[in-house]
Amino acid sequence: MSKQQELADLIRESIQDHMTVYMAGFSHLIPFAAGHEMIRQNLRHLTLCRATPDLLYDQMIAAGLADRLAFSYAGNPGVGLLPAFRHAAESGLLALDEYTHAEMICRLEAGAAGLPFWPLAAEDNDLSRLRGRPRVACPFTGQDVAVVPALNPDVAVLHVQMADDEGNLYVWGLPGDIKEAALASRVIVATAEKVHPADSLRHLRDYLMIPGFRVKGVTEVPFGAHPSYATGLYERDTRLYQEWTQLAKTDEGRQAWLDDWVRGVPSHAAYLAKLGENYLDALKTREGGFNRALSS
Amino acid sequence: MSKQQELADLIRESIQDHMTVYMAGFSHLIPFAAGHEMIRQNLRHLTLCRATPDLLYDQMIAAGLADRLAFSYAGNPGVGLLPAFRHAAESGLLALDEYTHAEMICRLEAGAAGLPFWPLAAEDNDLSRLRGRPRVACPFTGQDVAVVPALNPDVAVLHVQMADDEGNLYVWGLPGDIKEAALASRVIVATAEKVHPADSLRHLRDYLMIPGFRVKGVTEVPFGAHPSYATGLYERDTRLYQEWTQLAKTDEGRQAWLDDWVRGVPSHAAYLAKLGENYLDALKTREGGFNRALSS
Amino acid sequence: MPSARDWMIVAAARLLENQQRVLVGVGIPNIAANLAKRLQAPDLVLVYESGVIDARPARLPLSIGDGTLVDAALAVIPMSELFSHYLATGWIDVGFLGAAQIDASGNLNSTVIGDYQHPRVRLAGSGGAAEIATGAKKTIIVMEHSRDRFPAKVDFITSPGHPPGRRRADGRGPWRVVTSLGLFGFDDSGRMGVMALMPGHTQEEVLDLSGFRIPALVDPLPVLPEPSAQELQILQDLRATLPGGTQG
Amino acid sequence: MPSARDWMIVAAARLLENQQRVLVGVGIPNIAANLAKRLQAPDLVLVYESGVIDARPARLPLSIGDGTLVDAALAVIPMSELFSHYLATGWIDVGFLGAAQIDASGNLNSTVIGDYQHPRVRLAGSGGAAEIATGAKKTIIVMEHSRDRFPAKVDFITSPGHPPGRRRADGRGPWRVVTSLGLFGFDDSGRMGVMALMPGHTQEEVLDLSGFRIPALVDPLPVLPEPSAQELQILQDLRATLPGGTQG
């Protein structure tokens, strides 16, 4: 049974207002196309989660989708801070559930294992003092061990380099926290650079990240992570990351960009057409691990 | 700095009487060559650990190396029971720290993370009732969660398909509990089918299991997992697994086999010579994932 | 003439439905699951506690870590992930187990015969059986029927069955037991009852070879259809893939 | 004429020894570690919290998740494993961090300027900084020296430094601080002191631009050697690998 559906349908059927959503990806494979579709569908009152909210979350925050953010590092990678996040945090418009990276990841580990808490080695800092991070006594040694609560998002949205028609998801390069975030979530949906026929990718066994039976739906979306990168396929569009810092300094600038590039285009295909073929070609990886992996 | 050394030296310098040792491997990559060298060196009073003790542990138990066994499934895979283990357990000669698979693996997870306990979803059974398996109250939900204590062996012994001179260890096929066992251990040593020059395997990034800085020493030992298998290189020598059940029924039978095939040969190279080149050639994998992976 | 063992294998294989994710234990469950995949359930998702997801073994695997399970699998993952991400979190439809002993509540023993500290027979131990029995959405158990194997009280509870006096509320736990005498289920109080008999066997035999009372769950008791020629042929083909001298 | 920032980068790079495993933070630490690897420490093992072990970036990485870090790395592993199997268990020799603020005990703030609930400036937050600061065998911190950045009390403790009144017993925690004015260490009571001055700078400046007293740890205070032509050339070469318009 095919799990392929149109991106707009995938989002509409999987994500509703007030849900807790983890747009996964780490530096690469950020699901921009899916996030932009969520902006077009004008979703509201979401709790967005990700260890490393970056440009996409800044755009989603600017578009007013999020009431709350669970995170551990909210920066524009290699560029600086995130203007919309800063504005929302400094003016109290966005509730923050803030953790360190290790804590955030352990929350996902607990979620993925179906357990209510997860232990970790952690000293107190002002985050844990403000928010609370209980310790439990080890019954074997008496040692006090820090614990964090499970995080179980309603939906995880992934972008992957390859999928098959049955929703099997294949990833190369940095795994980050993608797998843990997906498995901690009740529902997983994905966009993929390419969706292949069922059963045609079994030779890539070692790159399977999520088996199809855990996945509700998948959509083929080439350049679905643009302007982030996809190891082996295309490079990060750093220019856009840099420009965002400037143009997003004011709400007018942010809304103008969203009107121009998201709300003003009907689909990701239209967004890509607006960027132009030559522009996208220049981002493509000339050679690399992905092609090597494919030939294996 | 090269981490290569002779197998006899590697064992002599890393493992002493009374240590807790995890001979890793799961179905494949069982470090038979290293274990046989331990028998030749006549080590005593070891605590042997492995989720799945199989033929090698039965031979080491028969040779009198072990006072204690930490495990979760002691069977001869696909054949039946382990005669030396049975005899030792039924006559009280071997102390048992017995767990379920999930418990055993969680003990390794705790050890690898440097934490004193690990949580898991587990109901009580007669093992937990006899041995104890405390629960801790989740500070967030109040739910009682089962926990097991960390296992931190003194030494993990691995066999891998490939290594480099700096001790970087590469594995294909079933990962089992190999990585967790290695990382939970204070010292890691390994035998490898082939040891390559430093830096020559970096293109195999996705198959690196343990980085060299965690590894104390490595030795090239072709067919070092015989009679178990090594995915992509050679098949299991099922005949030997079957014969063990018969010949190991009595202590005389076990000692005769050990005299013949372990104590009576000076090295693994001599053991292989005794088996014969044609015999080993017949076990070699004709084609498969390993060659595919290598060409990638 | 097919053996009683073959009849059990076929009866067990018939219980699996296409597309189910079945966590396959060693022994008869392994044979039966591989048989089902070659019969009515080609898309059966074979999962092994060794970390194999959706195996497509070219031959009958000798053990849960057999290389043939790895070759064409969808994925091979660390055991830690299989247990925590898939089994404990409810993604396995059927746990498919053997055991040395079973009692009326479906408690299974695969650890020792006799006393734990001084066993008469030391068995292999739980492996993943305790987790499979409690983590899968339901469990199918296959075993020879004898008085030793069906005692009033198992010598050791390796894998917990239904709690005293009730069936598990969430549907988990023992669902069917296939033996050389018949097919068994569990009533609302979590106690085993007969659902059908193997051809040529009677309820009296069941009573005679069990250490606890096993009532009929239906009246009259149906008789299971004999294995078909096709079922037996495919089972024979499957066995023929094993190395010589190996029991399948 | 090299900038004060370049002098900091060079001074920080010199602190790294060949073959150390250094967990590299964003900003100046990233530039300095990559510089060190092209200078005195070719076998420096660059580790990034993104899960990269032993990176060999062809160009200066823009961020800790830059594709150039992945290309020739020894391994890329899940973040969960990097934090638990390598950082928390003592396999990282040096944590190499920047921060917005530091106090006399080496407590670092990278979360907010002002009050947490009503911040004047909302910064990116901890990321892995809290774990790096406490998990690495020792920490090197690099930052501009100004009164805002060296307050008596940091606005928020993101990454704990030495405990009140003592240096950490196990050797962990802040070891060196490199600023635009000098090189700093920590005395037995865990308080920051000056070890050397940047060329052209004085202890008076340090006192003037710090919100707490920073005593000299040696007398007379040495002056750090100026960056060599080679160091500056290689730094320039490294920067030239960045895309146009990017700050390195």
Side-chain angles (χ1 to χ4, degrees), chain A residues 175-233:
Chain A
D177 59 348
I178 304 176
K179 182 167 65 180
E180 293 78 5
L183 295 175
S185 300
R186 291 175 187 90
V187 166
I188 303 169
V189 298
T191 55
E193 290 293 324
K194 176 90 182 146
V195 179
H196 294 259
D199 261 357
S200 63
L201 300 178
R202 295 191 60 112
H203 60 293
L204 300 175
R205 180 185 77 206
D206 297 328
Y207 296 91
L208 184 102
M209 180 175 272
I210 307 288
F213 61 78
R214 276 297 264 117
V215 176
K216 181 170 180 282
V218 64
T219 306
E220 180 170 296
V221 184
F223 277 100
H226 177 272
S228 78
Y229 70 101
T231 289
L233 292 180

Side-chain angles (χ1 to χ4, degrees), chain C residues 124-145:
Chain C
S126 166
E131 286 84 24
I132 296 169
T134 53
K137 284 186 194 159
K138 59 188 181 189
T139 313
I140 300 171
I141 300 126
V142 197
M143 50 196 291
E144 299 277 348
H145 210 129

Side-chain angles (χ1 to χ4, degrees), chain A residues 72 98 100 123 126 229 242, chain D residues 65 116 122 131 157 168 246:
Chain A
S72 42
E98 186 170 1
T100 66
E123 292 186 24
D126 279 353
Y229 70 101
Q242 291 165 344
Chain D
Y116 182 76
R122 173 64 227 201
E131 286 84 23
I157 296 178
R168 283 166 189 263
T246 314

Side-chain angles (χ1 to χ4, degrees), chain A:
Chain A
M1 195 196 59
S2 172
K3 293 193 174 176
Q4 282 198 69
Q5 44 183 161
E6 290 299 312
L7 179 56
D9 296 335
L10 185 77
I11 299 298
R12 193 173 297 111
E13 290 172 19
S14 306
I15 308 178
Q16 283 87 45
D17 292 352
H18 299 283
M19 278 190 169
T20 297
V21 180
Y22 206 108
M23 309 290 289
F26 188 90
S27 295
H28 74 149
L29 301 178
I30 313 287
F32 272 90
H36 287 176
E37 179 58 29
M38 289 166 70
I39 294 175
R40 278 191 289 272
Q41 294 191 12
N42 202 23
L43 285 157
R44 283 291 180 271
H45 308 299
L46 300 179
T47 293
L48 293 178
C49 317
R50 185 157 87 215
T52 53
D54 73 347
L55 216 59
L56 175 60
Y57 271 25
D58 215 41
Q59 294 167 357
M60 293 173 80
I61 290 166
L65 273 67
D67 286 351
R68 180 175 282 272
L69 180 70
F71 76 107
S72 42
Y73 186 86
N76 183 338
V79 180
L81 299 175
L82 296 170
F85 161 75
R86 270 196 65 179
H87 171 72
E90 290 168 12
S91 52
L93 297 171
L94 186 70
L96 302 183
D97 293 333
E98 186 170 1
Y99 294 85
T100 66
H101 267 0
E103 290 172 335
M104 191 75 183
I105 290 157
C106 287
R107 295 194 64 196
L108 296 174
E109 295 257 21
L115 294 171
F117 73 85
W118 207 247
L120 75 161
E123 292 186 24
D124 276 334
N125 64 1
D126 279 353
L127 278 178
S128 68
R129 279 184 282 263
L130 271 172
R131 185 198 63 222
R133 184 185 53 204
R135 291 172 176 269
V136 303
C138 171
F140 308 104
T141 65
Q143 189 182 330
D144 270 340
V145 176
V147 295
V148 288
L151 176 59
N152 289 106
D154 295 308
V155 183
V157 181
L158 272 63
H159 183 72
V160 301
Q161 284 114 329
M162 263 193 214
D164 71 15
D165 189 53
E166 291 174 322
N168 293 299
L169 306 182
Y170 296 82
V171 170
W172 285 256
L174 287 181
D177 59 348
I178 304 176
K179 182 167 65 180
E180 293 78 5
L183 295 175
S185 300
R186 291 175 187 90
V187 166
I188 303 169
V189 298
T191 55
E193 290 293 324
K194 176 90 182 146
V195 179
H196 294 259
D199 261 357
S200 63
L201 300 178
R202 295 191 60 112
H203 60 293
L204 300 175
R205 180 185 77 206
D206 297 328
Y207 296 91
L208 184 102
M209 180 175 272
I210 307 288
F213 61 78
R214 276 297 264 117
V215 176
K216 181 170 180 282
V218 64
T219 306
E220 180 170 296
V221 184
F223 277 100
H226 177 272
S228 78
Y229 70 101
T231 289
L233 292 180
Y234 49 87
E235 309 292 328
R236 193 172 82 151
D237 192 350
T238 295
R239 183 190 60 82
L240 218 149
Y241 275 76
Q242 291 165 344
E243 285 180 3
W244 179 258
T245 306
Q246 296 307 317
L247 64 86
K249 273 184 178 158
T250 64
D251 193 51
E252 291 69 34
R254 297 191 283 268
Q255 301 309 326
W257 190 91
L258 291 171
D259 284 341
D260 203 14
W261 288 96
V262 182
R263 290 185 290 234
V265 295
S267 66
H268 191 67
Y271 166 93
L272 295 181
K274 194 170 152 90
L275 284 166
E277 205 172 321
N278 291 344
Y279 186 90
L280 294 170
D281 273 349
L283 293 171
K284 283 186 183 163
T285 302
R286 296 299 158 220
E287 51 171 340
F290 188 67
N291 294 322
R292 279 208 307 270
L294 281 185
S295 68
S296 74

